[in-house]
Amino acid sequence: MKIHFIATGGTIDKVYFDAKSEYHIGSPQVLEVLKEAGVAFEYEIEPVLAKDSLEMTDADRQTIRERVLASPCERIVITHGTDTMADTGRLLCDVPGKTIVLTGAMQPARFRSTDATFNIGMAIGAVSSLPPGVYLSMNGRLFDPRKVRKNRDKQCFEEV
Amino acid sequence: MKIHFIATGGTIDKVYFDAKSEYHIGSPQVLEVLKEAGVAFEYEIEPVLAKDSLEMTDADRQTIRERVLASPCERIVITHGTDTMADTGRLLCDVPGKTIVLTGAMQPARFRSTDATFNIGMAIGAVSSLPPGVYLSMNGRLFDPRKVRKNRDKQCFEEV
Amino acid sequence: MKIHFIATGGTIDKVYFDAKSEYHIGSPQVLEVLKEAGVAFEYEIEPVLAKDSLEMTDADRQTIRERVLASPCERIVITHGTDTMADTGRLLCDVPGKTIVLTGAMQPARFRSTDATFNIGMAIGAVSSLPPGVYLSMNGRLFDPRKVRKNRDKQCFEEV
Amino acid sequence: MKIHFIATGGTIDKVYFDAKSEYHIGSPQVLEVLKEAGVAFEYEIEPVLAKDSLEMTDADRQTIRERVLASPCERIVITHGTDTMADTGRLLCDVPGKTIVLTGAMQPARFRSTDATFNIGMAIGAVSSLPPGVYLSMNGRLFDPRKVRKNRDKQCFEEV
C-alpha cells in the first residue's frame, strides 16, 4: 500500500526568514516527519502549492483536484493550511475510489512545540484504515469536510 | 467517542536519572503528546504498568487483559514496550467488541528526535477508524499481532 | 553575583499566531532557557520592550539606557533584535562600572532548531567573566559594538 | 582565536540503544551544538574518551592531561561526565598558559529538554573571556575545580 502526499503549504510548512523578519512557506515538512518516525511503507511526496490557505484561489483548488484525480494511489494525504482546508475537502467529495485525508497544523512543524508530527501520524493512521471518502483530520478527530469549521478563537476544529 | 489509553511502560516512557546514570520508566508520556497536539476528544489515561516489555510476566499480561475487558470504552490504545508488544496483542485477540491498537516507540518520547509523537497520532487515527479487533501500529504501518515481529537489526517491525 | 536580564524583543522572543498567520514578539524566552538549564545563580528578568529591533526608536534606546543606569547589578544581559543590536550597544559604551552583554537569536527560541539557548548561555559565560564594558555576543564570538555589523546575506555577525 | 574541544564522554553524549534497552556514550554532541548555533569561530573537536566519568581511571585522566599539554590552542573546552569533572579539573590546575573550561550536562544533549546546549554556550563565553586557569562551568556558574562538588540530591554543583 502506497500513500501519496500532496503538499500545498500552510502553517505546517512555515519557516522564519530573519533576513526579512517574516514568515514564509518552506519546503514540505512531511518528509522530515516521516524520516524521524522511521516509517516503513512506500510513499511519494508531491509539492503542488506553497501557499497560506487564505490566499488559495479557485484555480489552486482545481490544481489540487487534478493532482488527486491523476494520482495512481488509492490513499492520499493532503497537507493544507487550516483556514480553507474544509473548502478544498468539499471540492474533492465526489472523487471516487480514493481515501483522502486532509491535515495541517496550528503551529509550524519547525517549532519545538507543534501539532504537526502528531497530525501527520493521525492522518496516516486514518488514511490506512478508512474506506474511500474525504476526511479532515485535526485535533485528534476525523471530520466530514461538509460538516466542520475552524473555530479561530478556540484554535480548534469543531462540527457544525 | 472516548478513547481509553492504557500505559504499560516501555521505551516510549523512558527517562534518564543522572543520579544513577541509568534509564528508567517515567510517567506516561501520552498525556504530554495529547496536550501538545491540542486534541479535542474525550479520553482517559490509565497507567497500569511501568516496565520494560522484556520484563513483563504472564501475570502482567493478564492484568492488562483484565483492564481491557473492564474498560467501558470501545476504543483502546495501549502504549507498550516494543519487544513483546506482539505477545500482549495476541493475548487480546479474542476480546469482543473493542478496537484495540498497541503502539510504542523506538526512541523515548523525551528525546528531541523520537517516533513517539507520530506513533501516538497514528494509533489514534487507526483506533478511530478501524472495526473491532487488535492491531499493532508501528513504523507507520498497521499489523495483525499474530503476523508481525520486531526486526532488532533493522529496528523496525515486519510481517511474518 | 546577580545578573540582570533586560528583554527588549527581537527574533529570540517571536511566536506564531495562527489566528492572524503572523509572527509577533511573545514573552521573554530567557526565563524558559534559564529554567531548562537549571541555573543556580541569582537573577532578575525585566521586560522593557517587545519590538522587532528595526522598529526601535531613539526614545526606545534611551529607555533601555535608563534601565541599565538604574540597575543595581554590575552584570547585565540585554536580549535584543539583531538588526540594531550594535546601535543600542554603542549607546551604552559610556556607562561606567558595568559589564553589559547584548545577545539575541537568528531563529526564535520557540523553534526546534535555534541559536537562542546557546546564545544566552554564551552571554552568561561572558558577562560573568569580563571586566566592565559593552560586548555583543553572537555566533559564538564576542564583539565590540563599535566594530561589528550584521551580514544579512551570510546571516552572521562580523568585524568591521 | 581557535578553541580546542576535548570530548571525554559523560551524560552529555549519551544515546539510547533500543536494541539493548541501555544507555551508552555516543559521538560528541558538541559538534551538533556548534552547528545549530551557527558559530563563526575556528575550532577543533577531539574525541579522547567515551566514558561515564564514574568509570574513568587515573590513566584516563593522564591521557586527558597529555592532550591538553599537547594542544596548540590556548583556549580549551573539555566535555566531561559530571561525577568526576572536578577531579579531572584539579589534575589540570598546574597547566600553564591555557584557559581550560570543563563542562557537561545533567540531561543528554539528545533530549528535548537538556542543559547541554546552554552549558556549551556558557563554556565558550567563559573560555573566550577568562585569563589562564582551570574553571568548571555548570548551572550557569563558574567554579574553581578545587572548591566545588556535585550535590547529587539537588542535582547541581555548589561551592565547598
Side-chain angles (χ1 to χ4, degrees):
Chain A
M1 190 188 73
K2 185 177 174 180
I3 299 178
H4 184 182
F5 294 89
I6 294 177
T8 71
T11 295
I12 194 169
D13 288 338
K14 287 203 173 167
V15 293
Y16 180 67
F17 288 117
D18 182 66
K20 296 184 178 181
S21 293
E22 279 173 21
Y23 225 15
H24 293 262
I25 309 285
S27 57
Q29 286 296 292
V30 66
L31 177 60
E32 305 306 317
V33 170
L34 298 181
K35 274 191 202 164
E36 185 176 343
V39 302
F41 59 80
E42 202 186 348
Y43 63 86
E44 179 193 333
I45 298 172
E46 184 184 15
V48 171
L49 296 169
K51 285 199 172 182
D52 199 303
S53 78
L54 286 172
E55 295 167 10
M56 272 193 195
T57 63
D58 288 350
D60 289 332
R61 277 184 239 284
Q62 282 301 332
T63 301
I64 295 169
R65 185 180 156 88
E66 282 157 23
R67 299 302 174 97
V68 167
L69 289 168
S71 172
C73 297
E74 286 174 22
R75 301 185 187 273
I76 299 174
V77 171
I78 301 174
T79 58
H80 199 289
T82 54
D83 286 303
T84 68
M85 187 186 284
D87 298 333
T88 302
R90 280 190 288 270
L91 195 69
L92 300 170
C93 282
D94 64 341
V95 173
K98 293 187 188 297
T99 304
I100 301 164
V101 176
L102 295 104
T103 194
M106 295 296 192
Q107 292 290 318
R110 286 171 180 88
F111 268 40
R112 196 176 184 185
S113 178
T114 174
D115 51 336
T117 307
F118 177 95
N119 288 353
I120 290 174
M122 169 104 185
I124 292 167
V127 87
S128 304
S129 309
L130 290 165
V134 183
Y135 310 87
L136 191 156
S137 173
M138 286 295 290
N139 303 110
R141 298 177 65 190
L142 295 165
F143 298 94
D144 179 332
R146 290 160 297 199
K147 297 176 187 167
V148 66
R149 71 168 165 216
K150 179 180 170 183
N151 184 323
R152 285 187 154 244
D153 293 332
K154 294 189 182 167
Q155 281 288 294
C156 77
F157 283 74
E158 58 191 19
E159 276 174 13
V160 286
Chain B
M1 190 189 72
K2 184 176 174 180
I3 299 178
H4 183 182
F5 294 89
I6 294 178
T8 70
T11 295
I12 195 169
D13 288 339
K14 287 202 172 169
V15 293
Y16 180 67
F17 288 116
D18 182 67
K20 296 186 178 181
S21 292
E22 279 174 21
Y23 226 13
H24 292 262
I25 309 287
S27 58
Q29 286 297 290
V30 65
L31 177 61
E32 303 307 317
V33 170
L34 298 181
K35 275 190 203 164
E36 184 176 345
V39 302
F41 58 80
E42 200 186 351
Y43 62 85
E44 178 194 333
I45 299 173
E46 182 184 17
V48 171
L49 296 169
K51 285 199 172 181
D52 199 303
S53 77
L54 287 173
E55 294 167 10
M56 272 192 195
T57 62
D58 287 350
D60 289 332
R61 277 184 238 286
Q62 282 302 333
T63 301
I64 296 170
R65 184 179 156 89
E66 282 158 23
R67 300 300 175 96
V68 167
L69 288 169
S71 173
C73 298
E74 286 175 22
R75 302 188 187 271
I76 299 173
V77 171
I78 301 174
T79 58
H80 198 288
T82 54
D83 286 302
T84 68
M85 187 186 283
D87 298 333
T88 302
R90 279 190 288 270
L91 195 69
L92 301 171
C93 282
D94 63 343
V95 173
K98 292 186 188 297
T99 303
I100 302 163
V101 177
L102 295 104
T103 194
M106 295 297 191
Q107 293 289 319
R110 287 171 180 86
F111 268 39
R112 196 175 186 184
S113 177
T114 175
D115 51 337
T117 307
F118 177 95
N119 288 352
I120 290 173
M122 168 104 186
I124 293 167
V127 87
S128 303
S129 308
L130 289 166
V134 183
Y135 310 87
L136 191 157
S137 174
M138 287 293 292
N139 303 110
R141 299 177 65 191
L142 295 165
F143 298 94
D144 179 332
R146 290 160 299 198
K147 296 175 186 166
V148 66
R149 71 170 166 214
K150 178 179 170 185
N151 183 324
R152 286 188 153 246
D153 294 331
K154 294 188 181 166
Q155 281 289 296
C156 79
F157 282 75
E158 58 191 19
E159 277 175 12
V160 288
Chain C
M1 190 189 73
K2 185 176 172 180
I3 299 178
H4 183 181
F5 294 89
I6 294 177
T8 71
T11 294
I12 194 170
D13 288 338
K14 287 203 173 166
V15 293
Y16 179 67
F17 288 115
D18 182 65
K20 295 185 179 181
S21 292
E22 278 174 21
Y23 226 13
H24 292 263
I25 309 286
S27 58
Q29 285 297 290
V30 66
L31 177 60
E32 305 306 318
V33 170
L34 298 181
K35 275 191 204 164
E36 184 176 344
V39 302
F41 58 80
E42 202 186 349
Y43 63 85
E44 179 193 331
I45 299 172
E46 183 184 17
V48 171
L49 296 169
K51 283 200 174 182
D52 198 302
S53 78
L54 287 173
E55 294 167 11
M56 273 193 195
T57 63
D58 287 349
D60 289 332
R61 277 183 238 286
Q62 283 302 332
T63 301
I64 296 170
R65 185 180 156 87
E66 283 157 23
R67 300 300 174 96
V68 167
L69 289 168
S71 173
C73 298
E74 287 175 21
R75 302 184 188 274
I76 298 173
V77 171
I78 302 174
T79 58
H80 199 288
T82 55
D83 286 302
T84 69
M85 187 186 285
D87 298 335
T88 302
R90 279 189 289 270
L91 195 69
L92 301 171
C93 282
D94 64 343
V95 173
K98 292 188 188 297
T99 304
I100 301 163
V101 176
L102 295 105
T103 195
M106 296 295 192
Q107 293 290 319
R110 287 172 179 86
F111 269 39
R112 196 175 185 185
S113 178
T114 173
D115 51 336
T117 306
F118 177 95
N119 289 353
I120 290 174
M122 169 105 186
I124 292 167
V127 88
S128 304
S129 309
L130 290 165
V134 183
Y135 310 87
L136 190 156
S137 174
M138 286 293 292
N139 304 110
R141 298 177 64 191
L142 294 165
F143 299 94
D144 179 334
R146 292 159 296 200
K147 297 175 186 166
V148 66
R149 72 170 164 216
K150 179 179 170 185
N151 184 322
R152 285 187 153 245
D153 294 332
K154 294 187 181 168
Q155 281 289 293
C156 78
F157 282 75
E158 57 191 19
E159 277 174 13
V160 286
Chain D
M1 190 189 71
K2 184 176 173 180
I3 299 178
H4 183 182
F5 294 90
I6 294 178
T8 71
T11 295
I12 194 170
D13 289 338
K14 287 200 174 171
V15 293
Y16 179 68
F17 288 116
D18 181 65
K20 294 185 178 181
S21 292
E22 280 173 20
Y23 224 13
H24 291 261
I25 309 287
S27 57
Q29 286 297 290
V30 66
L31 177 60
E32 304 307 317
V33 170
L34 298 180
K35 276 191 203 164
E36 184 175 344
V39 302
F41 58 80
E42 200 185 350
Y43 62 86
E44 178 194 332
I45 298 172
E46 182 183 17
V48 171
L49 296 169
K51 284 197 173 182
D52 199 302
S53 78
L54 286 173
E55 295 168 10
M56 272 193 195
T57 63
D58 287 350
D60 288 332
R61 276 184 239 284
Q62 282 302 333
T63 300
I64 295 170
R65 185 178 155 89
E66 282 157 23
R67 300 299 175 96
V68 167
L69 289 168
S71 173
C73 297
E74 286 175 22
R75 300 186 188 272
I76 298 173
V77 172
I78 301 175
T79 57
H80 199 289
T82 54
D83 286 303
T84 68
M85 187 188 282
D87 299 332
T88 302
R90 280 190 287 270
L91 194 70
L92 300 171
C93 282
D94 64 342
V95 173
K98 292 186 188 300
T99 304
I100 302 163
V101 177
L102 295 105
T103 194
M106 295 296 192
Q107 292 289 318
R110 286 171 179 86
F111 268 40
R112 195 174 186 186
S113 177
T114 174
D115 50 338
T117 306
F118 177 95
N119 288 353
I120 290 173
M122 168 104 186
I124 293 167
V127 88
S128 303
S129 308
L130 290 166
V134 182
Y135 310 87
L136 192 156
S137 174
M138 286 293 293
N139 303 108
R141 299 177 65 190
L142 294 165
F143 298 95
D144 179 332
R146 290 159 299 198
K147 297 175 186 165
V148 66
R149 70 169 167 216
K150 178 179 170 184
N151 184 323
R152 285 189 153 243
D153 293 332
K154 293 188 183 166
Q155 282 288 296
C156 78
F157 283 75
E158 59 192 18
E159 278 174 13
V160 287

